[in-house]
Every structure is written in C-alpha cells, then in structure tokens.
Amino acid sequence: MTDTRGPQPQYEGYATGPLPGEREPAPGPSGPYHPPQAYQAPGGGTQGGQRPGPGGGGTLGGAQATRKPRTGARTTPRTRKARLRVAKADPWSVMKVSFLLSIALGICTVVAAAILWMVMDAMGVFSTVGGTISEATGSNESNGFDLQSFLSLPRVLIFTSVIAVIDVVLATALATLGAFIYNLSAGFVGGVELTLAEDE
C-alpha cells in the first residue's frame, strides 16, 4: 500500500525547541505576587487593595496596601471623685497656722499704713486739712489744733503696730477656740463633707 498524502511538513519547534519547564521567563519587572485585599488601601487606593501591575508584582500607584488591626471604640476617661468628711480639726495645728497668718496680716497692715501716709502727705492732705482745723479751733491766744504734729509718721506706725499685735492675739485665740467648737459640733452632726476630684 502506497502513501498518497504526499510529503508532510516537519514541526521543528516541537522537536528542537525547549520544553515548557526549560523556557526562559518573559522580560519585564518581576516581584512577589500579592493577592488582592478586601479592604481599601490607604492613600487613594481602589477597593480591592493591591492590584498586580503588568510586570507581575507591582502595586497600583506604587503604594502597598497594609492591613491595620481593628481597635475598640475610644472611651472618654472619667474623673475619679472621692467624698470625704472632716471629722476633727487639731487645735494645736490650727493655732500655729492662725498665728503665722495673723502675723503676716499684721505686717501687711503696718506697711499699708506707712504707704498710705506717705501718699497723703505728698498730696498735701495733712497740710490742707491741718490748716483748716487750726483756723477753726484757733483763737487770739492759741493757734489751735496742730493736725500734722499729731498725725506724724512715727506716731501712726506705733499706733498701727499696736493694732497689729492685738489682731495677732485675737485671731490666734479665736481660731483655736473655733477648732474646739468645731470638734464638739462634728461629734454630733458628723463634720463637713468635701468632694475631691482629680485634675483632668
């Protein structure tokens, strides 16, 4: 039997070419494969996260989408408060504190009196008022009451210092007595209640 199909073409590509596993990869940028993400990529990415580029591993816009962990809802910190009660006041500590405060108040009183006297003397208040009083109380035999000599600066400072010392004694005694009275009343009604809170 003779072959009537004639000469058949030879497929040299299959006979002489490399096998599929031995072929060289196509030229172009290559990189690791990143599967598409279900979240939108930050920085202007589209839904679906990363999209491989034409070269095989590029990302859309050159930015890689990162998946951030989900955190809980933000809560406003609450300010802690404590309700306390002053059950007793130590009379000795009250006396010491009131003594120091009354001394400071006495010093401030003396300094304020000296400054006020100098200001009024510079304005001419003593001379004007003193002249008016001298004319009103004067007669042909006497010149009248001399206000300027009576309200001199040393006399004013001495008078103010005496008042400050009396104030120190009275304030200290009244504060100590008040501490005793508070302790007696706190034994019946429980004392003064205070609500303390932390600084925000």
Side-chain angles (χ1 to χ4, degrees), residues 52-168:
T59 58
L60 184 60
Q64 296 183 356
T66 58
R67 187 172 179 179
K68 298 181 179 180
R70 298 180 61 184
T71 58
R74 297 179 60 184
T75 58
T76 304
R78 296 187 304 174
T79 303
R80 294 188 302 176
K81 297 181 179 180
R83 190 173 183 180
L84 304 177
R85 182 178 58 191
V86 182
K88 184 180 179 181
D90 187 15
W92 176 249
S93 62
V94 172
M95 185 184 69
K96 291 188 294 184
V97 173
S98 62
F99 178 72
L100 293 178
L101 291 179
S102 58
I103 287 179
L105 182 60
I107 294 174
C108 293
T109 304
V110 174
V111 173
I115 294 175
L116 182 61
W117 188 92
M118 289 187 291
V119 171
M120 293 179 66
D121 185 57
M123 294 174 62
V125 176
F126 295 117
S127 61
T128 304
V129 177
T132 304
I133 294 176
S134 298
E135 292 178 0
T137 59
S139 61
N140 296 328
E141 298 178 356
S142 61
N143 295 329
F145 181 74
D146 190 3
L147 181 64
Q148 291 182 349
S149 62
F150 179 77
L151 293 179
S152 61
L153 182 59
R155 184 172 294 181
V156 170
L157 292 180
I158 292 174
F159 183 72
T160 308
S161 301
V162 171
I163 294 178
V165 171
I166 296 174
D167 179 64
V168 168

